[in-house]
Amino acid sequence: MIVSRFAPSPTGYLHVGGLRTALYAYLFAKKNKGQIILRIEDTDQKRHVEGAEDNLIKSLHWAGIEFDEGPHIGGENGPYRQSERTEKYQMVTKELLDMDKAYRCFCTEERLEELRQKQEASKFPTGYDGYCRNLTREEVHELIQKGTPHVVRLKVPKDEIVFFEDIVRGKVKFASHTVDDQVLLKSDTFPTYHLANVVDDHLMGVTHVIRGEEWLPSTPKHILLYQALGWAAPTFAHLPLILNEDRSKLSKRQGDVAVEDYIAKGFGKEELINFIAFLGWNPGGTREIYSLQELIEVFDLKKVQKGGAIFNLDKLNWFKEVWRQRRLHDFAVREGLERDIQETKQGGYKITIIGDEARHIFSRELLKLVDEYLPENEERDEYFLLRCLYAVKDKLIQEPQKIDEFIHFYFEAPELDNALFLNERMNVDEKVVQKALELSIQALGQIEEWDEQIIKDIMITAIEKAGLNNGQVLWPLRVALTHVEFSPGAFESAWVLGKDKTISLLEQALHSL
Ligand code: GLU
């Protein structure tokens, strides 16, 4: 059976690159009816971050990537945190020492530093020179007796050519003499990353190691370690780097790299997974929209590209829009409104539901929610309610449980905080607020047919005439109507509230200045 794994170090958050690695490992396992393990690589206790593991698990779960084994669910190959597996690494090291495939190295930091400087000065590649490789049994025994601190190093064979086959990179060949006598066990008897990684992949029965390209240079070390232990190495697949648009390595400086940031910005898991899946892979053909389930069906590790993959925010936003439409579509289908739906060329949907028809959409399902989440309210006139729901429908479909947060201010606006009117970025000062409110009362007062498009047209004309810009009027207008920082826009809010309520809120606000 195929077994893949995701082996993150708990740095505090899930990097989008990490999500891609996890996703590919998951898709590959599921496509092949195999299993995927989550392993926490926390050997570097110095870098311990509180809550990091929980964060990782939460984000992966949010994305829909479920594991067959891991620290949060257990399994027969546990424990799943390297910090709880120290004994296993020590045992394997002892075996290697007994087989004379490893040796103890007593070199001091100073000697190693001196060596490095010499090598650098003479333009030799840096690396351990094997000084302790040939200590006699007696010498070693004596040094141990004296309690001399030491590490354990792998005895890397001198003149071998080693191959491995990488699913993405093809045949990789290297000469063993280019590989250092790597440290396996540190002087505090904790393992290095290399030892722990190899031991765990073997003991956990991992058949496929799927990881980022930054680990490719470590793979020769791992292969030599598998050889020394007489273990069959797993198959490797090294995924291409993820790059900024200027082809530099994806970094915090140029945008968000934490999955949590994208969640906070309102991206849904469907668009994020769809977008991430295409960072370095595609199934061929022109279709781009795939759900997680559909990705499992078409995923093929052999089609992963070698070259770096560009992280293009516009593309992500495009996926977001398409998925927004699809969610709306599914919702409408559930409510029997297919006739309003047109499929677009890109695999998205255009939906035209207006006015009265909203009644049908929001009928059963959402009115049920309203009962559940909104306090009893005398003013609960059904059309008003429908307009509220219509104004926040996209958000509601994603997070129905937040209904109260989305629309409470239409029922009862919180106390008005005048400071909210001012907005430096939009150039709104006290004078502008006054003007904006007066202008809005004037313009909206003339409207007879209270329709969102008409509200918009009349307001835009009035704003232009007054020589202001849109934000200068629409910001104060929206604040006057909702009293909150975030809400649907000014036109929508006016439409939701109806003419009388709108004018009265505007007058109140003007009064309070
Ligand atoms: N712990 C490594 C990381 O944080 C994983 C390397 C691997 O997958 O082998 O990326």
Side-chain angles (χ1 to χ4, degrees), residues 5 7-9 39 41 193 197 201 209-211 214-215:
R5 58 24 167 212
S9 301
R39 179 173 75 228
E41 301 214 321
Y193 153 74
N197 188 272
D201 280 337
V209 169
I210 299 167
R211 61 184 172 195
E214 63 274 26
W215 299 104

Side-chain angles (χ1 to χ4, degrees), residues 5-11 18 21 39-43 47 82 193 197-198 201 209-212 214-215 218 222 236 238:
R5 58 24 167 212
F6 178 49
S9 301
T11 52
T21 303
R39 179 173 75 228
I40 303 295
E41 301 214 321
D42 57 351
T43 48
R47 289 202 288 174
Q82 289 189 327
Y193 153 74
N197 188 272
V198 164
D201 280 337
V209 169
I210 299 167
R211 61 184 172 195
E214 63 274 26
W215 299 104
S218 300
H222 299 176
F236 291 90
H238 286 92

Side-chain angles (χ1 to χ4, degrees), residues 102-107 111-112 115-116 119 125-136 139-140 151 153-158 177 179-183:
Y103 61 95
R104 296 178 205 267
C105 168
F106 299 86
C107 290
R111 175 172 188 273
L112 295 176
L115 174 66
R116 199 179 57 82
Q119 287 167 331
T126 54
Y128 185 60
D129 61 354
Y131 183 82
C132 290
R133 214 171 146 131
N134 301 316
L135 293 177
T136 62
E139 284 167 320
V140 171
V151 300
R153 289 182 185 273
L154 185 70
K155 211 172 228 182
V156 172
K158 282 281 178 260
H177 73 260
V179 181
D180 212 8
D181 279 0
Q182 56 183 296
V183 175

Side-chain angles (χ1 to χ4, degrees), residues 20 24 167-168 238-240 279-282 299-306:
R20 186 193 57 180
Y24 284 13
I167 298 185
V168 178
H238 286 92
L239 310 177
L279 281 180
W281 167 85
N282 74 74
F299 189 72
D300 182 356
L301 212 39
K302 289 199 197 79
K303 287 193 183 151
V304 172
Q305 71 195 42
K306 283 201 198 65

Side-chain angles (χ1 to χ4, degrees), residues 418-437 468-477 479:
N418 280 339
L420 213 52
F421 278 123
L422 308 177
N423 189 323
E424 214 174 309
R425 201 167 46 81
M426 292 196 198
N427 237 327
V428 182
D429 59 18
E430 275 148 17
K431 273 227 296 287
V432 170
V433 174
Q434 167 112 12
K435 256 205 219 158
L437 296 180
L468 293 168
N469 60 43
N470 288 350
Q472 285 179 303
V473 176
L474 300 182
W475 176 265
L477 172 57
V479 170

Side-chain angles (χ1 to χ4, degrees), residues 338-393:
E338 292 96 325
R339 67 191 170 83
D340 297 305
I341 301 165
Q342 277 171 292
E343 193 157 355
T344 66
K345 267 206 231 86
Q346 295 90 351
Y349 296 95
K350 231 190 155 75
I351 305 187
T352 39
I353 308 156
I354 25 163
D356 242 18
E357 295 193 332
R359 258 173 71 79
H360 301 292
I361 298 200
F362 294 123
S363 56
R364 287 167 277 145
E365 236 172 279
L366 287 186
L367 289 177
K368 226 171 48 211
L369 282 172
V370 172
D371 278 336
E372 236 173 275
Y373 293 104
L374 282 182
E376 277 301 326
N377 187 317
E378 279 161 29
E379 279 184 57
R380 233 162 79 172
D381 121 36
E382 196 186 350
Y383 278 95
F384 170 54
L385 201 54
L386 290 172
R387 289 197 302 273
C388 290
L389 297 176
Y390 193 71
V392 297
K393 60 185 180 306

